[in-house]
Amino acid sequence: SLPKRLDAESPARFGRIWATRRVARAVYLGSAPVAGQANKGLDIRRIRLACVQPGENIAVFGDALRQLGDHAAHLYNDGSRYWYSTQANVGHVAKDRAAQKTEDDLFQEIRGRLGVQQKQRGSFARVHPAPQSSGDVPDDPDARLVILSPDKAHAAGEPDSPAILCAMQILEQRGNSPRLNRNALVFLAPDKTRLDDLKQACAAFLAWKSIYEEREALGLDPFNAKLAERKMEESNR
């Protein structure tokens, strides 16, 4: 079983006292699904109380419960309450869908969001979001901001980063012609050290968005539908 495997993977902390198996049994006995009836589950304090024996560290069972929640497809939690359901946890569906998103999917979403910057240009005469070539940036004397594409990242101290190479190309050329107004351009590049965080957030948004849009086809109950909507809004922000 999954609880037994998790105990075996952490013998010193969980396996020695069967911590994961004990919390799994406590949650099941206290929140076994009943057809047609909602079950709000057990508070984490009651789960600890159901498991701990004299001389044992109470915190171990909370850790085991969180570890189980990260892997068990039918274990739910809402705040501090946990329960089992006959319907698979949409959180696991979201993880699977997020993992299936390609870098092209993520960058396409990011580029689309960068396009909104045209309406929020501040003191710049114009903002150019994610230009695909130097010809997309006009050669004008007015100060303009060029937001580089997410695949043109930069890291400090990297003289030939994709961002530097792209910026140099745009500075030197406008299509097939030399650029004259080079000092009118300011470049903004994604930070290479934070790009993975952005990609993960974007993948999560796309995954939750697809689940929420397919909530009827997936047969989601009201709790899961509301959860998908809330997660979609959180990842969107």
Side-chain angles (χ1 to χ4, degrees), residues 12 27 38 47 61 80 144 185 210 226:
V27 173
I47 297 172
F61 296 100
S80 63
R144 284 157 295 128
L185 298 180
S210 68
K226 191 66 178 177

Side-chain angles (χ1 to χ4, degrees), residues 22 51-58 61:
R22 285 159 69 178
C51 297
V52 70
Q53 296 181 12
E56 294 177 340
N57 184 355
I58 297 177
F61 296 100

Side-chain angles (χ1 to χ4, degrees), residues 149-156 158 160-163 189-199:
S149 180
D151 59 329
K152 309 298 183 185
H154 179 69
E158 191 174 311
D160 57 351
S161 69
D191 186 345
K192 185 178 180 180
T193 61
R194 298 294 308 279
L195 188 58
D196 284 343
D197 294 338
L198 176 61
K199 288 159 65 175

Side-chain angles (χ1 to χ4, degrees), residues 132-174:
Q132 296 301 299
S133 70
S134 63
D136 294 336
V137 181
D139 189 8
D140 297 329
D142 300 318
R144 284 157 295 128
L145 176 66
V146 180
I147 305 177
L148 297 183
S149 180
D151 59 329
K152 309 298 183 185
H154 179 69
E158 191 174 311
D160 57 351
S161 69
I164 291 290
L165 297 178
C166 179
M168 290 300 297
Q169 181 187 23
I170 296 175
L171 277 175
E172 293 174 0
Q173 299 287 133
R174 197 265 175 163

